[in-house]
Each structure stands twice: as structure tokens, then as C-alpha cells.
Amino acid sequence: MMVAKQPDNRHLRIIKDFEETCYTPLQLEDGAKNTFLETRFSVEENHLRHWLKNDNEGGENKVWRYQLYHSHAPFLQKQALLTSCLKKVQKLASSSHELYKSAWEKLREFRRLAYPITVLRGACKYLAASTGTALWLDIRDQLG
């Protein structure tokens, strides 16, 4: 839930009512700045931008989420995992710019797990075909 701050602090009452009605006996906690669940967002000039939260962006490995490519899991399982992650990247992107940026971060994460470029390119091709989003072909072509 997003509520604009009001000069008369009316927004505090809205939040309190929401907590009492929807979360009793649970307690809401403040999340990270500009983050809601798996989505990061920013508000710029009255425009809401959002994209997939990725704690490993920038080449870091803060969170271990996925298996190494050379693990003993079946290839189809690895392929499905990669594809579902990229679908989530697209679903949570508010624009093609956010999609592009988030897709590259997610693909870098899978590269660090030794996923071959050919597998990543195949996933991008599949996303382009299944979603009708040509940007995935641009990303595929830039993978090398």
C-alpha cells in the first residue's frame, strides 16, 4: 500500500486503520527504502518507475538463490528456472528501460553461476517469442 503524506497527518490514520483491519495479530515492518516485496521503485516528476529487486546487482553475491549450472539437476529444471526468473523481470518492469537494466542484472547473476551464453541466449529468444517483446532479441544479440 502506498499513501501520500498529508500535511494534517491523515495518512497516519489510514495506515493505522489498515494495520488494525488487515494485519491483526501480525505487525507491519518498514521495508528497505524504495522497496516493496520484490520490487524496487522510484518516483520522479510524478512518475512511478519500478523494477525487480535484485540484492545481487552490481556483481555482488549477497544472496544465494539458484543452483550452479554444473549441478546435478536436470537441464529442463535449470532452463525453467532461468525462464521464470526472466519472466518475472519483465512482469515487474515499468518500462523498456527498466526491463533492459533488470534483465542484464539477472543475466549477469546466472553467468556467475556458470550458465553458458548459449543457454542465456536461448532463454532471451524464448522470452521474445512468448511475450512479443523484441527487446529480448536485442539483449540476446548483445550477449555475444
Side-chain angles (χ1 to χ4, degrees):
M1 177 175 76
M2 296 178 77
V3 179
K5 288 185 178 179
Q6 303 291 319
D8 61 1
N9 290 327
R10 184 173 26 149
H11 64 284
L12 297 176
R13 182 70 194 152
I14 293 170
I15 293 169
K16 186 175 184 305
D17 287 347
F18 181 77
E19 288 175 344
E20 289 173 355
T21 304
C22 297
Y23 280 95
T24 303
L26 303 175
Q27 181 178 352
L28 286 177
E29 296 178 5
D30 286 336
K33 183 176 169 84
N34 296 335
T35 302
F36 179 73
L37 298 178
E38 291 191 50
T39 307
R40 290 239 166 90
F41 64 89
S42 67
V43 180
E44 299 169 8
E45 298 176 9
N46 293 326
H47 180 72
L48 178 65
R49 296 175 42 227
H50 50 86
W51 59 95
L52 176 67
K53 177 184 101 173
N54 185 351
D55 291 327
N56 293 331
E57 63 191 11
E60 298 185 45
N61 284 318
K62 294 179 189 175
V63 178
W64 182 269
R65 290 192 184 106
Y66 315 117
Q67 63 206 51
L68 292 167
Y69 183 77
H70 299 296
S71 71
H72 292 287
F75 173 74
L76 288 177
Q77 180 180 334
K78 295 170 193 169
Q79 188 179 44
L81 172 67
L82 173 61
T83 302
S84 65
C85 287
L86 295 179
K87 283 182 179 182
K88 184 166 53 170
V89 163
Q90 180 161 347
K91 183 110 174 127
L92 296 179
S94 61
S95 68
S96 58
H97 173 75
E98 304 306 335
L99 171 58
Y100 183 84
K101 189 171 68 171
S102 295
W104 272 108
E105 287 296 338
K106 189 54 70 180
L107 290 167
R108 280 188 201 105
E109 190 171 358
F110 277 96
R111 257 325 264 148
R112 287 191 301 275
L113 296 171
Y115 277 65
I117 294 291
T118 55
V119 172
L120 301 178
R121 286 174 52 88
C124 290
K125 181 179 175 184
Y126 173 78
L127 266 287
S130 63
T131 67
T133 304
L135 182 60
W136 286 109
L137 296 177
D138 295 339
I139 294 168
R140 177 202 62 184
D141 294 343
Q142 293 173 22
L143 278 167

